[in-house]
Amino acid sequence: MAGFKPVMRSPMQKKIIIAIIIFLILQGCTANNPFQDPPNIVLILTDDMDNTLMPYMPKTNQLIGEQGATLDNYFITTPVCCSSRASMLRGQYAHNTDILQNSPGFARFYKLDEEKDTLNVWLQNAGYRTALFGKYLNNYPVNAGKTYVPPGWTDWAAFVSNRDEGNFFYNYTMNINGELVDFSDSPEDYSTDMILDKSLAFIGSSVAADSPFFLFVSVYAPHGPAIPAPRHRGLFSDLTYPKKTSFNEADISDKPLLIQTLATGGDVFDENDANGYFQGRASSLQAVDELVEKLVQTLESNGELDNTYIFFTSDNGFHLGEHGLSSGKGTAYEEDIRVPFMVRGPGIEPGTAVSQMTANIDFAPTVAEIAGAETPFFIDGRSFLPMLLGEQVPWRDGLLVEFGYIDEEEPSDAPPDPETDNALNGVRGGAFRAIRGLDYVYVEYVNGEIEFYDLVTDPYQLENLAGSLSAETLSVLHTKLDGLKYCEDESCRVLDQELKIEIQK
């Protein structure tokens, strides 16, 4: 080219230019991390906890809720343990994880090779130490080998599935980093306390290693039989269950046949039954409340509290007598799909209230954004971190809620799950797909029955309006649900912004 004269650079100048280029590349790689230092992340996950129990955890309310944000409309998109946990780890609806009920549970998750691309793997790739202590997925480690440890965990201590109708409070076995360890019925082996000890040790070792960490504290309480620690026995012997107008609903003739059958079969579940369950559930959570306090105290003493996000929530809700059902989960009713959620951490103003509709599919992308971790394309949820930090962002109008296999025979990778406190688990007729909108819920069951509740005028879901809706309204609802139940990644996020409807009767 005429007039062009190449610029000659010295070896030193070339080294400086290369260093600048490398620096800019590295800056670009971490640009999606809004924090100067990678924050620690702690998830405290209870098992089968509904919102009625939150008033009986004063330390948790004070140390997390009051010091951070409460998500008032947090939902579980498949209200049983294994499905919910798989969705939390992958950021996907259950029809995309293909874990649509508790059985086969882990065996199917393992068979589909989904553990290789989960939240803990993303965080470990981003430089985090990771640990899980307590319950993992139902039926773990069926078909994977007794000492199997999933990828992406620095430290691991998970309950091993049992087949004798036992529980995970006492007399359980854990896989601890590839070694099976039996625990007894002695007070020091009470599982919540054991999980706390391991959590404190992991925090200490991570601080000593000068490494950010992700700690998954997965307690069994208040899951049935809801055994409290010895120090808490009899603590709530006079407690009564806060019954709603839906408790032992008098007229359930408008409910689906399955609900009617379950409600009228067996002994009547009365107030005394509900009170007894509730007392045990509240008592079993007292050790969890103490766990929260000790975790916060340890983080503070280690100088890590101000750089740690602490999440508290449950894997699903629980009903006790609503609509005539006894005790359990797995329905599309509010008691089962709506759970407590609170979080404290850097940038979250104390007393923050988030009213937008959030869900378990949003947990993984939120934590990944906090950590600056790369995420895969398949995520169905979205990060709610901006809302925790006080930003206004476009959001959804509703969610898909789903349970059970509807397009194929139920997978048989594992024996039936021994956790039998879920009335609908294993009942093929109980499979359903639903839209939980901002102010309504619409449900289609596999046998063709439908439900519709106007949550503004009927928050306790007493009157099924499906039979009085216009054909046009039913057609719109069916079409929207049909799109949601097969959505994937971005299409889910597009469709859930189109769920407002005008009800015509």
Side-chain angles (χ1 to χ4, degrees), residues 156-172:
W156 177 261
F159 297 129
V160 172
S161 177
N162 54 52
R163 294 287 162 200
D164 59 359
E165 302 296 327
N167 62 75
F168 294 128
F169 290 105
Y170 291 109
N171 296 313
Y172 52 90

Side-chain angles (χ1 to χ4, degrees), residues 464-482:
N464 179 9
L465 299 177
S468 63
L469 296 182
S470 69
E472 181 182 353
T473 298
L474 288 172
S475 176
V476 169
L477 287 166
H478 176 76
T479 300
K480 289 181 180 294
L481 180 55
D482 211 41

